[in-house]
Amino acid sequence: MVAEPGGSMDVRYEGAEEAPEDRKPQSDEARSAFVPPAGVEPPAPPEEEHPTSEFALPSGLRAEPEPEPEGSAFAPPATYSAKNSPPAFTPAYGVPLVRLSRDAPWQDRMRTMLRLPVGERPVPEAPRKEDESGHSVPRVLDLTLRIGELLLAGGEGAEDVEAAMFAICRSYGLDRCEPTVTFTLLSVTYQPSLVDDPVTANRTVRRRGTDYTRLAAVYQLIADISAPVGDEQAHEVTPEEAYRRLAEIRRNRHPYPGWALTAAAGVLAGAASVLLGGGLTVFLVAALGAVLGDRLAWLCAGRGLPEFYQFLVAAMPPAAMGVLLTLLHADLRPSAVITGGLFALIPGRALVAAVQDGLTGFYITASARLLEVMYFFVAIVVGVLSVLYLAVQFDAQLNPEGALRAVERPVTQTLASMALSATFAILLQQSRATVLFVTLNGGVAWVVYASIAVTAEGSAVMATAVAAGLVGLFGQLIARYHHTSSLPYVTAAIGPLLPGSATYFGVLAIAQHNLDQGFASLAKAAALALAIAIGVNLGGELARLFMRAPGAAAARRAAKRTRGF
């Protein structure tokens, strides 16, 4: 450290070198305020000067490969080839276009399109011109719902009702529509395009009735509306004309008066008692019991009582007539009298429709129909059981074993089965033109059943299923020939196959406190009823297979088996 004259002091350290001129710190005037000091790295440029996507990966990082699916149901197998793809996958060149034959019935054409996705459905055969305004959408939807209501209330299956509703909408240019059918609710949705709001309308079915003449008229109206373009025998049915015809169908009186229906119920019960081995006296007594039961049911209906109580009251007079014969110690078949009265009450029509809805995938409607059948069945059981319980208290010797003896009278029983089917057709308010075919179909059903169950001593369930299958096959073939519903040709023909005797034996065993035997007999009755319904549905499907398929490219699509997942 050296001191200079004048009191100033120059401080220096040993070993320190004097800085060169270019490294000497500059003054504040010579240095910019934005320039970083010496030895400090300049900051990175702002992000705006080098714009990058916020989804871009930073430098130095690699994208991870997608993990291979392990056991995924949607992963294609290792042997999959896009060029030669199996039918289970959508081919690379697209899905083949389904072209519908104009010669096929409208039921098959509409059912085929309903089972296709909306995007794969073919366009209408005759699209409207640009200068045409078209029909009013709400009016077409309302007409569709009104026609669907008549079909569903008449006992038609849910799939056939949807096919009819779709046929009406498509005939009036509403091709992008989706009908939906449940047990009591009908709805249809129409969306003009993917960017337009959909229009939805619905209607509730509050009253049901059995009138197959009206059902056939509705089918004829649908056939006229959906007639193919270019058919010389058909003309365009406007919505106004369709409303007028629909009003006439609603106002149409039943083809048979009330007294004819009551007489038909009596003849039906008498014919059923003859099938079980009864004679002329048994025929008359069973007919009398059925007539009394029918009149009591009409009285309850006029008073506004639900159908449950109508069935309950109608089942009591036939049972009372059988008990009366037992107390009089008449050498007759009381069980045949009681069983004959049950044939007119067993809801075979609702059961067939319920099983058909279940087999075609309409499980909600099928469950509701089966619940309705169960209520009616319980009402019949309660009505008969009430009378039999009183008979047991009076020591009535009701012996079910006597009725189990098989009686072979081929000619008499075949004629009785034909009479049963004919009277059943009258109760269903069928057209007179269909009664003859139904009568013959019922006779064939009984001959087939008796040949397997009685003559060959085979299984009653198998015999019932085979006979019902033939009934469904013949009924579906004649219905497709006339382009109408198959119910008028099928429902009455299964009358001789209804499980009346098994129902009576089960109720009688319960009344005699043989619960195991009673429930076993009722289970047999349920098995026979299901065999009838499945056989009828299978016969209808076989009829569709025998006829020409509506699709030229592929067969009719259906749901695939889930294989457990």
Side-chain angles (χ1 to χ4, degrees):
M1 185 170 51
V2 181
E4 294 183 357
S8 62
M9 182 179 298
D10 184 13
V11 181
R12 296 180 182 178
Y13 294 93
E14 294 181 2
E17 298 180 356
E18 194 171 11
E21 292 293 335
D22 56 349
R23 296 183 60 182
K24 291 183 179 181
Q26 300 177 357
S27 62
D28 293 339
E29 293 79 5
R31 185 178 68 241
S32 173
F34 299 98
V35 177
V40 178
E41 296 181 359
E47 187 176 358
E48 288 77 6
E49 297 182 4
H50 300 279
T52 57
S53 173
E54 58 181 352
F55 301 101
L57 293 176
S59 58
L61 294 180
R62 293 183 303 172
E64 297 182 0
E66 298 182 359
E68 296 183 358
E70 299 180 0
S72 175
F74 302 99
T79 57
Y80 173 75
S81 174
K83 184 177 181 180
N84 300 319
S85 59
F89 298 92
T90 302
Y93 45 81
V95 180
L97 179 64
V98 177
R99 298 185 182 276
L100 304 177
S101 174
R102 292 185 178 182
D103 298 332
W106 65 265
Q107 297 98 318
D108 291 341
R109 290 188 284 117
M110 297 303 109
R111 188 182 293 109
T112 301
M113 283 190 289
L114 277 175
R115 296 190 177 187
L116 290 174
V118 179
E120 298 181 14
R121 293 175 183 172
V123 297
E125 289 84 352
R128 296 193 308 268
K129 299 179 181 179
E130 296 181 359
D131 55 350
E132 293 182 356
S133 58
H135 303 287
S136 173
V137 173
R139 192 168 181 81
V140 172
L141 296 184
D142 180 72
L143 176 65
T144 302
L145 292 174
R146 290 179 182 272
I147 294 179
E149 178 189 8
L150 285 180
L151 294 178
L152 188 62
E156 195 62 78
E159 186 180 31
D160 295 327
V161 176
E162 282 196 358
M165 296 172 64
F166 187 75
I168 298 170
C169 291
R170 185 178 175 83
S171 300
Y172 290 123
L174 309 184
D175 55 309
R176 297 183 60 87
C177 66
E178 285 293 336
T180 304
V181 176
T182 58
F183 184 60
T184 57
L185 182 64
L186 299 169
S187 64
V188 57
T189 301
Y190 170 68
Q191 188 174 12
S193 64
L194 296 177
V195 297
D196 295 329
D197 295 332
V199 180
T200 302
N202 54 57
R203 192 174 183 87
T204 303
V205 179
R206 302 187 183 277
R207 186 177 181 181
R208 300 177 183 272
T210 304
D211 190 343
Y212 283 176
T213 302
R214 178 181 297 174
L215 187 67
V218 174
Y219 262 83
Q220 183 60 43
L221 174 60
I222 301 172
D224 294 341
I225 293 175
S226 60
V229 179
D231 193 350
E232 298 179 355
Q233 300 179 356
H235 68 281
E236 182 181 0
V237 180
T238 62
E240 289 73 18
E241 183 180 354
Y243 267 108
R244 180 184 57 80
R245 293 179 57 178
L246 189 62
E248 293 177 356
I249 293 173
R250 286 182 176 274
R251 290 193 302 264
N252 187 23
R253 300 176 64 92
H254 297 304
Y256 306 102
W259 64 266
L261 299 180
T262 302
V267 175
L268 189 153
S273 64
V274 173
L275 284 179
L276 301 175
L280 179 60
T281 305
V282 173
F283 176 90
L284 295 177
V285 175
L288 179 60
V291 168
L292 292 177
D294 183 76
R295 287 293 90 191
L296 287 177
W298 276 97
L299 180 62
C300 294
R303 298 292 181 180
L305 291 178
E307 286 185 295
F308 179 87
Y309 300 104
Q310 297 176 28
F311 275 82
L312 190 150
V313 172
M316 297 179 71
M321 299 299 293
V323 171
L324 182 60
L325 290 180
T326 303
L327 294 176
L328 293 177
H329 301 284
D331 189 14
L332 298 173
R333 287 176 175 263
S335 57
V337 174
I338 300 175
T339 305
L342 298 181
F343 268 79
L345 300 177
I346 297 177
R349 171 183 57 86
L351 179 65
V352 171
V355 175
Q356 179 182 357
D357 290 341
L359 294 177
T360 53
F362 294 84
Y363 300 113
I364 297 178
T365 307
S367 302
R369 290 186 188 271
L370 287 176
L371 187 61
E372 180 188 32
V373 171
M374 186 189 70
Y375 271 103
F376 293 160
F377 193 77
V378 169
I380 297 171
V381 169
V382 171
V384 177
L385 187 60
S386 302
V387 177
L388 295 183
Y389 182 76
L390 293 177
V392 171
Q393 301 304 318
F394 286 97
D395 296 330
Q397 301 299 323
L398 294 170
N399 183 18
E401 298 298 332
L404 290 176
R405 297 194 305 267
V407 179
E408 293 191 32
R409 296 182 296 177
V411 178
T412 303
Q413 291 178 332
T414 302
L415 294 177
S417 64
M418 295 174 66
L420 190 153
S421 299
T423 52
F424 203 173
I426 295 176
L427 289 177
L428 295 174
Q429 300 284 357
Q430 292 189 198
S431 174
R432 293 177 175 86
T434 62
V435 174
L436 178 60
F437 178 83
V438 168
T439 302
L440 297 177
N441 204 8
V444 172
W446 175 257
V447 169
V448 173
Y449 170 80
S451 301
I452 299 176
V454 180
T455 304
E457 298 182 355
S459 171
V461 177
M462 181 186 68
T464 302
V466 173
L470 290 178
V471 168
L473 176 62
F474 296 152
Q476 188 64 238
L477 289 176
I478 193 67
R480 289 168 64 90
Y481 178 77
H482 291 287
H483 291 237
T484 184
S485 173
S486 63
L487 290 181
Y489 302 99
V490 171
T491 306
I494 64 174
L497 305 177
L498 294 177
S501 58
T503 304
Y504 165 68
F505 296 151
V507 175
L508 178 59
I510 294 176
Q512 294 176 344
H513 304 288
N514 298 326
L515 299 182
D516 294 339
Q517 182 181 355
F519 286 117
S521 184
L522 292 179
K524 179 182 177 181
L528 292 173
L530 290 177
I532 292 174
I534 295 176
V536 168
N537 182 267
L538 181 60
E541 294 296 331
L542 291 177
R544 296 190 183 99
L545 292 177
F546 292 157
M547 303 295 285
R548 182 166 52 182
R556 182 168 56 99
R557 295 188 179 183
K560 295 183 179 179
R561 186 164 62 92
T562 58
R563 300 183 182 274
F565 52 82

